[in-house]
């Protein structure tokens, strides 16, 4: 009897499938809102206001989103930090202190001195922990028209879950505006000549 149980069990184990491992998708951070609004003037100078809200779920997400940085060219552009803060899981809001904002020559300037004069302003978010929510708003002003007029592009952050990813452009209706989109919905409306 023991031998038959042994051989029956061995036979069943031999043909049994091993359990299938299931990998769970881990969300490290979520880009809740990535909104860029452009106000394009008739001379093709423009002002961009960019808002970014991110919720951090893991240490990896915190390491990837512990700061926000923008590069600009001071001869043609100006950059302003409008607001920046961290909302903690308990509801407290921590504004980014002045010591957490700094401007320095960009990496391109450091690698090609005399040819590039770009600067990078960086905001370092304070006291991040799992569940923190970061918020930052930048205003970039293009003071002289670009060589090819106004142009921009919006690329999704494919490495992170994303909620709202939107680009809004207001431009005088009689100026030509051309666009291409893949994976995004585009709407075009004219109101009061804009």
């Amino acid at each position: 009897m023991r031998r038959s149980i042994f051989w029956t069990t061995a036979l069943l184990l031999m043909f049994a499938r091993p359990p299938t491992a299931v990998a769970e998708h881990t969300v490290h951070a979520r880009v809740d809102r990535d909104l860029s609004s452009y106000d394009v003037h008739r001379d093709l100078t423009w002002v961009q206001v960019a808002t970014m809200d991110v919720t951090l779920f893991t240490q990896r997400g915190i390491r990837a989103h512990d700061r926000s940085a923008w590069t600009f060219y001071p001869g043609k552009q100006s950059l302003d930090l409008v607001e920046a803060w961290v909302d903690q899981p308990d509801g407290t809001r921590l504004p980014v202190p002045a010591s957490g904002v700094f401007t320095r020559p960009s990496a391109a300037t450091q690698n090609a001195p005399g040819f590039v004069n770009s600067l990078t302003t960086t905001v370092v978010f304070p006291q991040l922990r799992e569940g923190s929510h970061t918020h930052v708003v930048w205003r970039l002003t293009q003071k002289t028209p670009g060589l090819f007029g106004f142009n921009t592009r919006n690329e999704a952050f494919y490495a992170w879950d994303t909620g709202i990813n939107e680009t809004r452009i207001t431009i005088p209706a009689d100026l030509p505006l051309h666009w291409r989109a893949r994976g995004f919905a585009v709407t075009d409306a004219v109101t009061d000549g804009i």
Side-chain angles (χ1 to χ4, degrees):
M1 172 97 169
R2 281 183 164 174
R3 277 191 171 164
S4 67
I5 291 174
F6 171 78
W7 287 111
T8 303
T9 304
L11 193 60
L12 287 173
L13 289 173
M14 191 168 76
F15 291 107
R17 289 185 173 180
T20 304
V22 177
E24 291 186 27
H25 174 71
T26 301
V27 177
H28 299 285
R30 180 183 61 235
V31 177
D32 300 312
R33 180 172 56 160
D34 178 8
L35 173 62
S36 285
S37 296
Y38 293 87
D39 184 14
V40 181
H41 307 129
R42 185 161 297 286
D43 65 356
L44 298 181
T45 60
W46 45 266
V47 177
Q48 175 190 12
V49 176
T51 303
M52 178 76 78
D53 292 301
V54 179
T55 302
L56 310 170
F57 297 113
T58 66
Q59 289 300 311
R60 179 177 170 186
I62 291 170
R63 285 190 303 275
H65 297 280
D66 67 345
R67 63 195 63 215
S68 177
W70 273 66
T71 297
F72 66 102
Y73 297 87
K76 300 175 183 179
Q77 301 173 325
S78 64
L79 179 68
D80 299 299
L81 174 64
V82 177
E83 59 190 24
W85 65 69
V86 175
D87 287 331
Q88 297 293 21
D90 65 4
T92 58
R93 177 167 287 175
L94 303 172
V96 173
S99 62
V101 181
F102 53 93
T103 301
R104 65 190 186 290
S106 70
T109 300
Q110 295 170 16
N111 292 334
F115 294 98
V116 180
N117 70 339
S118 57
L119 299 174
T120 299
T121 298
T122 302
V123 169
V124 179
F125 295 109
Q127 301 180 32
L128 295 177
R129 60 182 185 248
E130 293 176 7
S132 292
H133 174 88
T134 63
H135 170 82
V136 64
V137 178
W138 297 96
R139 181 175 39 248
L140 178 67
T141 302
Q142 180 71 34
K143 299 183 285 187
T144 60
L147 182 61
F148 299 106
F150 169 75
N151 64 74
T152 186
R153 69 185 204 191
N154 179 347
E155 292 184 33
F157 296 103
Y158 294 112
W160 309 104
D161 284 3
T162 302
I164 296 170
N165 184 344
E166 187 174 329
T167 299
R168 298 176 185 168
I169 301 170
T170 59
I171 187 170
D174 59 339
L175 292 179
L177 179 64
H178 305 280
W179 67 83
R180 301 289 180 265
R182 183 172 38 179
F184 287 89
V186 177
T187 58
D188 183 12
V190 176
T191 304
D192 298 326
I194 299 293

